[in-house]
Amino acid sequence: MKKGPESGTWPLAGVPGKLAESNPDNNRSGGASAKEKVILSSPGELENAQLKPSRETPRKKLCGYLNKLGIKGPIKTWKSRWFVYDENKCHLLYYRTAQDVNPLGSIDLSSASFDCKVENGEGVFEIRTPNRVFTLKAISKQAMMYWLQQLQVRRWEFCNAQSRFPVGSSQLVNEPLVDRTNVVDSEDFMPPVKTPTEVVGLKAASLPAPQTSTALQNISLKHPWTEIQNTVYNICVSKQLRGNNGNIFNFSEFQEHPESLDEEQEAEVEAGSAVKEEIPEDGRLESRVNWVRKAKWMNSGFLGLAEELSRERSSMDKVSVLQQQILTLTEEVKSQKELVKLLHKALEAAQQEKRVSSMYLTAAEDKDRLELVRHKVRQIADLTSRLEALEKEKKELEQMLALRDSHIQELKEHVQHLMEKNHAKQEVIMALTEQMARELSDPLQEANTITAETLYKQQEEIEHLKDDIDAYKTQNQFLNSEIHQVTRLWTSAAENEKALLMKCACLQARNCQMESKYLTVLRKLQETVPGLPSSDAELVRNLIQEALQWDVKEGAEEGLNLNPVSEYDEYGFMTVPDYEVEDWKLLAKIQALEIKSNNLRSQEVVEKPLRDRWNSVGELSPSAELKSLIRSGIPVEHRQRVWRWIVSRHCSRLPDHYQRLLRQSKSTEHPACRQIELDLPRTLTNNKYFSSPTSQLIPKLRRVLLAFSWHNPAIGYCQGLNRLAAVALLVLEDEESAFWCLVHIVENLMPADYYSDTLITSQVDQRVFKDFLAEKLPRLTAHFEQHQIDVSLITFNWFLVAFVDSLVSDILLRVWDAFLYEGTKVIFRYALAIFKYNEEEILRIHDNVEIYQYLRFFTRMIVDGRKLMNIAFNDLNPFPMKLLRNRRTMHREELETELCELEQIKAAYVKERAEQGPQDLQEVVSEEEEEI
């Protein structure tokens, strides 16, 4: 007779087998996703396979029985559950028994933490997920530590595997992550715990589930449908096994080779517990699966208890199992006997009632029936009287019982009092005896007066303290390990997130550059439209129209999240201004894309460190470091606070001054009121807060300008102040703060007469700027002189309104940051930097008309604010304020002299005209008449 395979699997007649293996990659995604497939093999194939030892030891499956704390309202009960770890999802699935196919639930370990507290008891630990805390209990402390260590290892491996980027990812992101995930955790906070094979692993599936006090206690009331499915499935399997028993194993072989049972046991259990975890989809495998289920059922003790006991348990295990079965059967017999007694009593009552009914029905006359009824009435009356007597007797007995209870209670109290007296006397006797012994004994015997009982208690307490110390040491070691691993996981996740953000920023920047290049190509084609064929020209126009009408929201709805162009920035400025000329529209959109691309590229390298430096700044005070920070640009979240601090340093707010000016403007109309109303609709038309007369900041701007016109009557109102006040309102939001910011600019930063009727100081600054331009950029100055270009026609407005409506909002606010802190020299620096930024482009133009056209919009083509800032504050140094003041004084004297000469010429001309008297208009001949 041929011996079965050593693995413990037995051949099934008529079914060709394959090698038994576990294939976790083919697991199903349902309730049994964590369980293994088993494919049976023929003996020959298996023997051949076992001749070749595997190079890789298969990993042990993490599974076993644990008690789970169930909470239903105020009731807390421990329920036994079969737990299985799912390698693919990092979930811990739990079942009611190892034979169930559908899990009752799962615990997500990828974002969970583990904890064990000595106060909770031996073997109790917690799994904390973001949504819930699961309290579990192992059979021993060793089993608990094994579960915790294994769960930590599985969580670490899963998180590291998830953090790796797929092949083909960007080298910028992928390489550092690979280095990080290959780091081995060298900190051994706890020694590895030996595997408790009797309670953990597939072998534990063959052992009976832990018993509970009642059968209903272990049933999950929260998952009734799953319980029903598992129960029906187990019943169906049992029926199939009963219908085919006797054809599963070759029992003669089973008895002939008993020495191979120990080797075959683990494979049989592994096959049996794995088959019940997945329902095969292929009908041809049904007979194989049923065969394995029959094998597991036979091994579980229902049909072959003696064989299993002889193979798997020692003599003590046999006795304990048999005693448990005897107790169970005894309890069932008792309950059956009580049920029989109740049924006998019910049967007797029914028979008595039947006899009475028969007599009543068999009576011949109504008189006899009436006599029976009367007899029944008398019986009822008699029973009623007896019942009343019994109730009365019951009440008397209850009273007597109460009296006896009170008497017994008094006796107990008396006995307790006597015992306390006796105990006190014994203590006095013991104290006197010890005192006498101490007086009679020598000094050596006094050191040994501690009784044996006291010494035993102290030793027992010391042992308990040692156990507590060991438990707390183990808890401390595990918590250190958990904290270290969770910190490593958090750091890895943070680095991965940072790398993904950097990669996303790079992709967004690249996308912006591609769009910008596409729009630049369209603009070049737009310039050549007149020379193209009609079909090509129409195609170019359609492409330009589509590019201008593209909406970010439509792209977002389609899932295109990489397009960074938004309609407005943080302060309400349009990122793509709505120009009427299509050429300018394309330039504006190109510029917006380039700015966003530069911002994205510098986000992690420049902006984030700068923001961190600003976050570390506490109380503001003038310093070289603060000056450098302000020049680099103030982040949006800090700008309002810094501007308020700068203004408050130079302007002392008068209490109720602004409100008094508002009341004055309401009571009396200022002469500049009409001009203010005319300029309001023309203020920052590219900002949504000022774009229409009904915009929300228009009334605030009106009040600020009227208050300033009453505050400084010498200036009143000058065109350009509306733009300065509007920018202050956008940043500071409070209109009174914006008013004092305007006062600080006009009265402290700008020289006197800068906004007077003659604008004399503004003209002086233009001459000073031309001197600086000739010194810093001589090639550009010579180019302008060659083509007779007067740059003051372009730069005059820059100085008057501090670049408002000239630079894009992001660069404009950086200029204002430094301008409010340092003064007007910042305007000179940035004006020179703008020409330096575009110097090469200007030098390539050799027509004065084209140069003027380019100078009209070339400030809008500046997209790199960092480069412009470096030119202004690094490349153009030195730039002392003393030199600026000296140049202003010199040119003011020259300008005043020229104005005096002009006034003299004007006066002489008026005098000459007055002396000549009125001329006859008929003598005046026009040039056209002379030509005729």
Side-chain angles (χ1 to χ4, degrees), residues 270-368:
E270 190 172 354
S273 63
V275 169
K276 57 112 182 140
E277 296 169 355
E278 179 165 343
I279 302 173
E281 298 178 359
D282 190 356
R284 293 177 296 178
L285 295 178
E286 184 177 1
S287 59
R288 303 183 189 180
V289 176
N290 290 335
W291 180 83
V292 179
R293 291 190 182 279
K294 296 171 187 176
K296 179 181 72 65
W297 187 69
M298 292 291 292
N299 290 332
S300 64
F302 292 101
L303 296 180
L305 180 60
E307 289 81 359
E308 183 181 356
L309 289 174
S310 63
R311 284 185 300 154
E312 298 182 357
R313 294 181 175 84
S314 62
S315 59
M316 295 300 296
D317 292 337
K318 296 177 185 179
V319 172
S320 62
V321 171
L322 292 175
Q323 287 178 351
Q324 184 69 26
Q325 292 181 354
I326 290 171
L327 291 175
T328 304
L329 294 174
T330 305
E331 292 294 332
E332 290 182 359
V333 170
K334 287 181 180 179
S335 61
Q336 293 295 331
K337 285 181 179 180
E338 292 178 358
L339 179 61
V340 169
K341 289 179 181 179
L342 292 175
L343 291 175
H344 277 301
K345 290 181 180 180
L347 181 60
E348 290 176 0
Q351 288 177 351
Q352 181 68 24
E353 185 69 25
K354 181 179 179 182
R355 285 196 295 269
V356 174
S357 300
S358 299
M359 292 173 61
Y360 180 79
L361 294 173
T362 55
E365 296 180 1
D366 293 340
K367 185 184 294 186
D368 297 334

Side-chain angles (χ1 to χ4, degrees), residues 431-598:
L432 293 174
T433 303
E434 290 177 0
Q435 183 179 359
M436 180 188 264
R438 283 196 301 271
E439 291 176 355
L440 296 176
S441 62
D442 54 1
L444 295 176
Q445 292 178 348
E446 291 181 0
N448 301 321
T449 56
I450 302 176
T451 63
E453 183 180 359
T454 306
L455 182 62
Y456 174 76
K457 289 182 179 179
Q458 290 181 352
Q459 289 178 350
E460 188 177 18
E461 186 177 355
I462 289 172
E463 292 297 328
H464 286 312
L465 291 175
K466 287 182 178 179
D467 293 340
D468 291 343
I469 290 173
D470 293 338
Y472 280 112
K473 283 183 178 179
T474 304
Q475 178 186 356
N476 188 35
Q477 290 175 349
F478 170 74
L479 291 178
N480 287 336
S481 172
E482 179 68 9
I483 292 170
H484 174 73
Q485 188 178 109
V486 170
T487 304
R488 290 276 303 277
L489 290 174
W490 178 83
T491 305
S492 177
E495 291 177 353
N496 292 340
E497 182 181 3
K498 181 179 178 181
L500 287 173
L501 289 175
M502 291 178 63
K503 183 178 180 181
C504 183
C506 292
L507 292 174
Q508 286 181 330
R510 192 177 303 170
N511 183 64
C512 291
Q513 287 184 342
M514 295 300 294
E515 284 194 45
S516 175
K517 291 177 181 179
Y518 172 69
L519 294 177
T520 304
V521 171
L522 288 180
R523 182 170 175 268
K524 295 294 184 182
L525 290 174
Q526 187 183 32
E527 295 175 356
T528 61
V529 163
L532 294 175
S534 58
S535 60
D536 295 343
E538 184 65 23
L539 178 60
V540 170
R541 281 191 289 269
N542 291 336
L543 291 175
I544 293 173
Q545 195 66 23
E546 289 177 2
L548 294 175
Q549 292 178 353
W550 191 85
D551 190 3
V552 181
K553 295 180 180 179
E554 293 177 0
E557 291 175 358
E558 296 173 1
L560 300 176
N561 297 323
L562 294 179
N563 197 314
V565 181
S566 57
E567 189 175 0
Y568 297 98
D569 64 4
E570 297 88 349
Y571 294 101
F573 288 98
M574 295 179 64
T575 55
V576 182
D578 188 14
Y579 296 123
E580 295 181 359
V581 183
E582 288 193 359
D583 192 18
W584 284 29
K585 289 182 180 180
L586 279 176
L587 287 175
K589 195 154 189 176
I590 292 171
Q591 174 214 17
L593 290 169
E594 291 291 339
I595 291 175
K596 193 65 178 182
S597 176
N598 288 326

Side-chain angles (χ1 to χ4, degrees), residues 189-464:
F189 292 93
M190 290 187 63
V193 180
K194 184 179 179 182
T195 306
T197 55
E198 67 279 0
V199 293
V200 177
L202 291 174
K203 184 177 180 181
S206 64
L207 302 177
Q211 298 295 324
T212 55
S213 58
T214 61
L216 291 176
Q217 180 179 342
N218 202 39
I219 294 177
S220 176
L221 300 178
K222 298 174 68 175
H223 309 87
W225 180 244
T226 305
E227 289 281 0
I228 293 171
Q229 286 180 327
N230 292 331
T231 304
V232 172
Y233 183 82
N234 291 331
I235 291 173
C236 294
V237 172
S238 300
K239 288 183 178 180
Q240 292 178 5
L241 293 176
R242 293 192 189 98
N244 297 311
N245 56 359
N247 296 325
I248 301 174
F249 294 103
N250 191 332
F251 288 100
S252 59
E253 294 181 4
F254 188 81
Q255 296 175 0
E256 183 179 352
H257 305 282
E259 67 276 7
S260 64
L261 295 178
D262 291 336
E263 300 175 0
E264 299 166 359
Q265 173 187 352
E266 183 176 357
E268 287 180 351
V269 174
E270 190 172 354
S273 63
V275 169
K276 57 112 182 140
E277 296 169 355
E278 179 165 343
I279 302 173
E281 298 178 359
D282 190 356
R284 293 177 296 178
L285 295 178
E286 184 177 1
S287 59
R288 303 183 189 180
V289 176
N290 290 335
W291 180 83
V292 179
R293 291 190 182 279
K294 296 171 187 176
K296 179 181 72 65
W297 187 69
M298 292 291 292
N299 290 332
S300 64
F302 292 101
L303 296 180
L305 180 60
E307 289 81 359
E308 183 181 356
L309 289 174
S310 63
R311 284 185 300 154
E312 298 182 357
R313 294 181 175 84
S314 62
S315 59
M316 295 300 296
D317 292 337
K318 296 177 185 179
V319 172
S320 62
V321 171
L322 292 175
Q323 287 178 351
Q324 184 69 26
Q325 292 181 354
I326 290 171
L327 291 175
T328 304
L329 294 174
T330 305
E331 292 294 332
E332 290 182 359
V333 170
K334 287 181 180 179
S335 61
Q336 293 295 331
K337 285 181 179 180
E338 292 178 358
L339 179 61
V340 169
K341 289 179 181 179
L342 292 175
L343 291 175
H344 277 301
K345 290 181 180 180
L347 181 60
E348 290 176 0
Q351 288 177 351
Q352 181 68 24
E353 185 69 25
K354 181 179 179 182
R355 285 196 295 269
V356 174
S357 300
S358 299
M359 292 173 61
Y360 180 79
L361 294 173
T362 55
E365 296 180 1
D366 293 340
K367 185 184 294 186
D368 297 334
R369 294 182 179 179
L370 183 60
E371 185 61 30
L372 289 173
V373 171
R374 287 176 181 173
H375 179 67
K376 273 293 184 185
V377 171
R378 285 194 298 272
Q379 286 183 350
I380 291 172
D382 184 32
L383 290 174
T384 303
S385 60
R386 289 173 61 187
L387 179 62
E388 291 177 354
L390 290 173
E391 288 181 351
K392 186 176 179 181
E393 184 180 357
K394 178 186 175 183
K395 290 181 180 178
E396 293 175 356
L397 292 174
E398 287 178 350
Q399 293 176 359
M400 292 176 63
L401 181 62
L403 291 174
R404 290 183 179 180
D405 289 341
S406 62
H407 184 62
I408 291 171
Q409 185 65 29
E410 291 176 358
L411 291 176
K412 286 182 178 180
E413 292 177 357
H414 183 64
V415 171
Q416 182 68 25
H417 183 63
L418 292 176
M419 290 177 66
E420 290 177 356
K421 284 184 177 181
N422 187 24
H423 183 67
K425 290 178 181 180
Q426 288 179 356
E427 288 182 352
V428 172
I429 292 171
M430 290 294 296
L432 293 174
T433 303
E434 290 177 0
Q435 183 179 359
M436 180 188 264
R438 283 196 301 271
E439 291 176 355
L440 296 176
S441 62
D442 54 1
L444 295 176
Q445 292 178 348
E446 291 181 0
N448 301 321
T449 56
I450 302 176
T451 63
E453 183 180 359
T454 306
L455 182 62
Y456 174 76
K457 289 182 179 179
Q458 290 181 352
Q459 289 178 350
E460 188 177 18
E461 186 177 355
I462 289 172
E463 292 297 328
H464 286 312

Side-chain angles (χ1 to χ4, degrees), residues 51 103 107 431 732 772 781 837 842 875 905:
L51 293 176
I107 306 174
L732 299 174
F772 286 144
T781 303
Y837 189 98
I842 298 173
D875 297 351
I905 294 172

Side-chain angles (χ1 to χ4, degrees), residues 617-899:
V617 174
E619 185 178 355
L620 297 173
S621 59
S623 63
E625 182 182 3
L626 180 64
K627 181 178 180 181
S628 174
L629 281 176
I630 292 176
R631 284 183 173 185
S632 300
I634 305 173
V636 176
E637 58 269 22
H638 296 282
R639 180 167 283 133
Q640 186 180 113
R641 176 173 69 97
V642 177
W643 282 26
R644 290 178 186 272
W645 173 77
I646 293 173
V647 173
S648 63
R649 285 183 62 238
H650 298 89
C651 293
S652 56
R653 292 193 178 188
L654 302 176
D656 201 36
H657 179 65
Y658 179 70
Q659 300 298 329
R660 182 175 56 79
L661 293 175
L662 290 182
R663 290 193 293 270
Q664 185 178 359
S665 63
K666 289 180 181 179
S667 60
T668 306
E669 183 177 352
H670 195 277
C673 181
R674 183 178 179 183
Q675 186 61 42
I676 291 174
E677 292 296 331
L678 291 175
D679 288 346
L680 286 177
R682 296 180 288 190
T683 304
L684 300 186
T685 56
N686 63 337
N687 190 287
K688 64 180 180 180
Y689 299 114
F690 296 99
S691 57
S692 67
T694 58
S695 298
Q696 51 184 320
L697 291 185
I698 291 293
K700 292 184 178 182
L701 180 61
R702 180 186 294 107
R703 290 192 290 271
V704 170
L705 295 176
L706 288 174
F708 181 82
S709 62
W710 286 108
H711 170 78
N712 192 333
I715 296 176
Y717 174 74
C718 175
Q719 287 185 339
L721 296 181
N722 56 327
R723 300 177 186 177
L724 300 177
V727 174
L729 268 176
L730 289 173
V731 176
L732 299 174
E733 297 179 358
D734 177 43
E735 56 183 272
E736 185 174 359
S737 300
F739 165 77
W740 287 109
C741 182
L742 182 62
V743 171
H744 171 56
I745 293 172
V746 175
E747 298 181 1
N748 297 331
L749 297 181
M750 295 298 191
D753 299 330
Y754 214 85
Y755 298 98
S756 63
D757 295 337
T758 58
L759 299 175
I760 183 171
T761 313
S762 300
Q763 299 180 53
V764 169
D765 276 357
Q766 294 305 305
R767 298 191 177 192
V768 174
F769 176 71
K770 288 181 180 179
D771 288 351
F772 286 144
L773 187 65
E775 294 174 5
K776 303 291 184 180
L777 302 173
R779 293 172 55 215
L780 191 61
T781 303
H783 187 69
F784 285 152
E785 291 176 354
Q786 179 183 355
H787 296 89
Q788 299 178 352
I789 303 297
D790 186 5
V791 294
S792 61
L793 299 177
I794 305 298
T795 60
F796 184 82
N797 196 50
W798 296 358
F799 284 77
L800 194 66
V801 296
F803 297 104
V804 179
D805 284 339
S806 296
L807 295 172
V808 294
S809 59
D810 181 55
I811 301 175
L812 170 68
L813 293 172
R814 292 185 184 182
V815 174
W816 270 59
D817 293 338
F819 166 62
L820 291 177
Y821 187 73
E822 299 184 47
T824 53
K825 69 175 183 178
V826 173
I827 300 180
F828 283 93
R829 283 183 177 274
Y830 271 100
L832 292 170
I834 289 171
F835 282 106
K836 178 68 175 177
Y837 189 98
N838 298 276
E839 181 179 15
E840 298 300 327
E841 292 290 334
I842 298 173
L843 291 175
R844 282 196 287 266
I845 305 174
H846 298 283
D847 182 75
N848 58 350
V849 177
E850 291 183 5
I851 292 176
Y852 273 119
Q853 289 179 350
Y854 180 77
L855 295 178
R856 286 177 59 196
F857 64 84
F858 81 117
T859 55
R860 288 284 176 177
M861 298 304 297
I862 298 176
V863 295
D864 193 347
R866 292 290 166 191
K867 179 181 176 181
L868 186 66
M869 184 266 293
N870 288 328
I871 295 173
F873 293 108
N874 297 326
D875 297 351
L876 297 178
N877 282 334
F879 205 97
M881 192 66 186
K882 182 179 180 180
L883 177 63
L884 177 60
R885 286 195 290 267
N886 293 337
R887 293 286 178 88
R888 277 177 170 169
T889 302
M890 179 185 68
H891 283 289
R892 186 180 181 90
E893 293 176 355
E894 293 177 357
L895 184 60
E896 288 178 350
T897 302
E898 292 176 3
L899 290 175

